Amino acid sequence: MALPILYSYRRCPYAMRARMALWAAQISVEVREVSLRDKPAHLLQISPKGTVPVLQLPDGKVLEQSLDIMQWALAQSDAQGWLNADPQAVNHLIHSNDGAFKKALDRYKYPERYPEHSQQFYREQGEQFLQTLETALQQHAYLLGGSASLVDVAIFPFIRQFAAVDADWFATGPYPQLSAWLAGWLESPLFVEVMQKFPAFKA
Ligand SMILES: N[C@@H](CCC(=O)N[C@@H](CS)C(=O)NCC(=O)O)C(=O)O
């Protein structure tokens, strides 16, 4: 039987969250690792917006948002209970992550592209979200309680990027719980598995 096709890019945080959910649900997919500079015609045909991840199901249905792919995968199988979290709280945190935090992250990573402000300014903007997460993690081991949920998986790839801009600063900063939470995800067998290198897709 044909497998779902996943257009992915290894280092993309949106693609990471989608792969994490697909792997956690033990759904086999054909991974098509793309070059963002040379997107395959089939990807653009099924999803003209041209972002990854995109999942095409065997019946032809196309999921072109990472969160939709996560939700779909976990609806098939959710052995770890990642969907057992208050949907409103989930949406609120993911909205903050994908919105204001991602914007600050892009500017902190590439300050030369956004010369209106200093890198320090952009870092401080991102830190508002880091502080929210740190406070949550002081209360419980995961963002919304004592066990992991969709929201942890959806957010940690972005915190990974933020932390990596200046690893010394992050490691020694006022975010000990967040650092430990991030380290836990980075060391998890699931993350290691989804970060394996896939051969570049050739149409
Ligand atoms: N809202 C989308 C965002 C996906 C996204 O922006 N992916 C980036 C890579 S990390 C992308 O494909 N950018 C298009 C490009 O760089 O040409 C989702 O959640 O899937």
Side-chain angles (χ1 to χ4, degrees), residues 9 12-14 17 36 39 50-53 64-67 98:
Y9 180 65
C12 166
Y14 300 98
R17 60 160 65 143
L36 294 177
K39 293 171 190 158
T51 64
V52 292
E64 43 182 353
Q65 291 294 335
S66 56
L67 294 173
D98 291 15

Side-chain angles (χ1 to χ4, degrees), residues 12-18 66-67 70 88-107 125-133 143 150-163 178 181-182:
C12 166
Y14 300 98
M16 284 176 201
R17 60 160 65 143
S66 56
L67 294 173
M70 293 184 84
Q88 249 186 314
V90 168
N91 286 343
H92 177 72
L93 272 183
I94 294 182
H95 181 78
S96 301
N97 180 80
D98 291 15
F101 180 69
K102 172 71 164 89
K103 193 170 164 199
L105 168 62
D106 289 344
R107 285 157 178 73
Q125 284 196 320
E127 283 191 83
Q128 294 172 23
F129 189 58
L130 299 190
Q131 191 54 62
T132 301
L133 302 187
L143 291 174
L150 168 82
V151 84
D152 298 275
V153 181
I155 289 177
F156 92 85
F158 297 83
I159 305 303
R160 170 182 179 269
Q161 282 196 349
F162 200 93
L178 188 61
W181 169 88
L182 176 62

